[in-house]
């Protein structure tokens, strides 16, 4: 329980804009890059000299975010890199391959894929373009397809880079540590509840852990990680009753703190290939005691089953 509560009051982050090495020559793709954690992460990497692809479904918001990043106080730094908007909608699988095609038409490498975008507690009955429950689609199916289509580029980059430096992150949540599911439900994350949106959200966040674990096992040259970015003041809470963000406001941090968590997962030299499949907690630490019932479910084949479901549901959108 001590580790769980320490996620509400994390120690000082170790990898920030003041300690981040120059990222010139590296390429990053960040989903949900025009708000919240994604926006902060794009800014950190751009100002460190990286080539950043800000991915999202709203071109106008994306381009406005890019302009804001370029005009920010750090933009005078000579180490500023490049930043480009990339259109994709994780809730519409048909948009993902065209986005990857556009990316690979320009880039031959990808150092870190940050699967950052997500949705939480939309109105009951919300579905994706392909009629999947919206949180399952946006948080799991879309990121799974995006990652699979980018694997050739990620593996190529790994072949010419330091071992363990090419990474993919998936975004989970503190709810994974504080809520419990029956064993049979852990084996059926793909079955949505008709009206219990918080339960569906929890399913998708456990699903992100399952994806990181299985994809790491299947792709030994790339390091896959799952992270809880932290409790943050972002638009992710927009669908919750207004009283909820008000009540928890004293426990919420600026979105940049969540970007520090992702930055550590994506770039820290304290992590290696051996850490693949691991869980990262705020503001950049290995989870010392991942939740036992989920670990047992993974060992029992739940993660393999979930990835099989994601594979089946996304296969036709690869061509």
């Amino acid at each position: 329980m001590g580790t769980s509560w320490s996620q509400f009051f994390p120690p000082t982050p170790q990898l920030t804009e003041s300690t981040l090495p120059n990222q010139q020559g590296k390429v990053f793709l960040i989903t949900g890059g025009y708000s919240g954690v994604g926006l902060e992460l794009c800014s950190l990497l751009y100002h460190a000299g990286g080539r950043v692809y800000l991915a999202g479904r709203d071109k106008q918001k994306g381009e406005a975010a890019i302009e804001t990043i370029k005009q920010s106080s750090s933009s005078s730094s000579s180490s500023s890199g490049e930043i480009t908007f990339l259109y994709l909608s994780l809730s519409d699988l048909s948009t993902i391959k065209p986005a990857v095609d556009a990316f690979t038409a320009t880039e031959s490498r990808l150092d870190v894929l940050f699967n950052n975008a997500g949705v939480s507690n939309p109105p009951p009955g919300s579905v994706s373009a392909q009629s999947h429950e919206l949180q399952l689609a946006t948080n799991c199916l879309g990121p799974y397809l995006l990652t699979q289509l980018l694997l050739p580029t990620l593996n190529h980059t790994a072949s010419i880079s330091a071992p363990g430096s090419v990474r993919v992150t998936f975004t989970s949540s503190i709810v994974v540590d504080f809520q419990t599911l029956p064993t049979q439900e852990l084996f059926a994350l793909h079955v949505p509840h008709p009206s219990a949106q918080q339960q569906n959200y929890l399913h998708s966040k456990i699903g992100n852990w399952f994806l990181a674990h299985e994809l790491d096992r299947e792709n030994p040259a790339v390091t896959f990680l799952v992270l809880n970015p932290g409790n943050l003041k972002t638009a992710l809470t927009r669908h919750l009753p207004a009283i909820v963000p008000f009540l928890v406001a004293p426990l919420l941090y600026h979105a940049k703190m969540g970007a520090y968590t992702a930055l550590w997962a994506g770039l820290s030299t304290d992590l290696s290939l051996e850490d693949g499949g691991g869980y990262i907690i705020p503001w950049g630490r290995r989870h010392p005691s991942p939740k036992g019932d989920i670990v047992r479910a993974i060992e029992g084949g739940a993660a393999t089953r979930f990835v099989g479901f994601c594979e089946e549901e996304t296969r036709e959108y690869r061509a």
Side-chain angles (χ1 to χ4, degrees), residues 65-120:
I66 288 172
E67 192 61 27
T68 297
I69 290 169
K70 288 182 175 180
Q71 291 182 0
S72 65
S73 59
S74 300
S75 63
S76 59
S77 169
S78 60
S79 65
S80 292
E82 302 172 42
I83 186 166
T84 302
F85 176 73
L86 181 68
Y87 172 77
L88 65 80
S89 174
L90 293 172
S91 63
D92 184 352
L93 298 175
S94 70
T95 70
I96 296 177
K97 187 174 188 299
V100 172
D101 289 344
F103 174 81
T104 55
T106 303
E107 300 292 346
S108 61
R109 70 178 293 143
L110 176 58
D111 292 87
V112 187
L113 167 61
F114 293 95
N115 286 306
N116 163 76
V119 63
S120 171

Side-chain angles (χ1 to χ4, degrees), residues 29 45 101 110 119 137 151 206 210 224 241 247 294:
L29 197 161
L45 292 168
D101 289 344
L110 176 58
V119 63
L151 274 175
I206 295 173
F210 284 2
F224 293 79
L247 291 174
I294 299 178

